[in-house]
Amino acid sequence: MMFKAELGIEGLAAKVGLKQIHILIGYVFVLNLAIRLFAGFMLPGKNHWRALFKRNNANQIGPYLQGMKSETPPQYLGHNPLGRLAIIALYLLLIVMAGSGLFRAGTDIYYPPFGAAIQTYLAADDVAPSSIKPYDKTGVNPQKAELLAPIKSSIGKVHLYGAYILWLLLALHIAGAIRQDVTSQPGTISAMFSGKKYLASPPVDKYYSRSTP
């Protein structure tokens, strides 16, 4: 965990306890992500994954940017082409964060879903895997621990820097939504809560309009 010294966190018990809190929050995050990924296959219209993964999305970015300069900016019931790219990038990064976080939960304090397998791998001969404790070398095969260390470190860095990139992408996405709400499509922000978007002109994303009551 970062900033342990600054927060006055000392001792093994405090270190493990803070890690447990981090992991429990991570489980909630992973569950939320799994529900959202599953819902993308079940929900209709603009909420379906097909709405994001359009083959011609890259070709739509140029016309979209040109249209934003006109007196009548293009209106979208769903995400505009740049918004779709942002959402795809966010979901891919969230999947990486979930996978790397679950792996580190297993290697750090032997939490599911990988904890039992990590304990079994690290256990020395004639040592019960379940007896291995977090941050304790007792009963651990030193050669296997040495082999695991660089993998653990690399995935930890992926998780750490992924968090920094996630905050950056979230800030850019929020800024883009606010800019669209103010300059070209009022009601973008409120539509995130109400589910209803009011358009100044017919939407250009015809796929959505056919699927919307």
Side-chain angles (χ1 to χ4, degrees):
M1 294 295 291
M2 297 184 294
F3 309 120
K4 292 190 294 293
E6 291 80 356
L7 293 172
I9 297 172
E10 299 179 355
L12 179 60
K15 182 178 181 180
V16 172
L18 190 62
K19 182 73 71 172
Q20 288 173 329
I21 294 172
H22 182 106
I23 292 171
L24 291 176
I25 294 172
Y27 283 153
V28 175
F29 158 81
V30 172
L31 178 61
N32 178 271
L33 177 61
I35 292 173
R36 286 175 175 270
L37 292 174
F38 178 75
F41 293 101
M42 305 301 294
L43 297 175
K46 60 184 173 58
N47 298 307
H48 198 279
W49 284 118
R50 287 194 301 267
L52 287 178
F53 293 93
K54 285 193 169 187
R55 294 181 181 179
N56 62 341
N57 186 63
N59 297 330
Q60 295 178 5
I61 294 176
Y64 164 72
L65 294 175
Q66 289 296 323
M68 291 294 291
K69 300 176 182 178
S70 68
E71 296 181 358
T72 56
Q75 304 289 289
Y76 292 85
L77 274 174
H79 290 92
N80 63 53
L82 287 180
R84 290 180 211 136
L85 288 180
I87 292 297
I88 291 170
L90 282 170
Y91 269 112
L92 290 176
L93 183 56
L94 289 172
I95 292 171
V96 171
M97 291 291 294
S100 58
L102 289 174
F103 181 82
R104 282 303 300 257
T107 58
D108 289 353
I109 58 174
Y110 310 125
Y111 265 40
F114 302 113
I118 296 296
Q119 285 178 303
T120 300
Y121 171 76
L122 289 175
D125 294 340
D126 301 324
V127 172
S130 60
S131 67
I132 298 176
K133 304 301 180 184
Y135 305 105
D136 188 342
K137 297 181 180 180
T138 304
V140 172
N141 183 311
Q143 288 77 25
K144 291 184 177 180
E146 185 176 356
L147 290 173
L148 182 63
I151 300 174
K152 175 181 175 180
S153 176
S154 297
I155 293 181
K157 290 179 180 178
V158 169
H159 194 69
L160 174 62
Y161 292 113
Y164 293 148
I165 297 172
L166 178 61
W167 283 111
L168 175 61
L169 288 179
L170 286 174
L172 292 174
H173 189 60
I174 292 171
I178 294 173
R179 181 180 183 277
Q180 179 172 300
D181 193 296
V182 172
T183 62
S184 63
Q185 194 164 333
T188 298
I189 303 298
S190 62
M192 297 178 185
F193 300 94
S194 67
K196 298 179 181 179
K197 186 178 287 186
Y198 300 95
L199 308 179
S201 60
V204 297
D205 44 351
K206 300 300 182 182
Y207 172 82
Y208 302 130
S209 60
R210 287 199 301 268
S211 303
T212 303

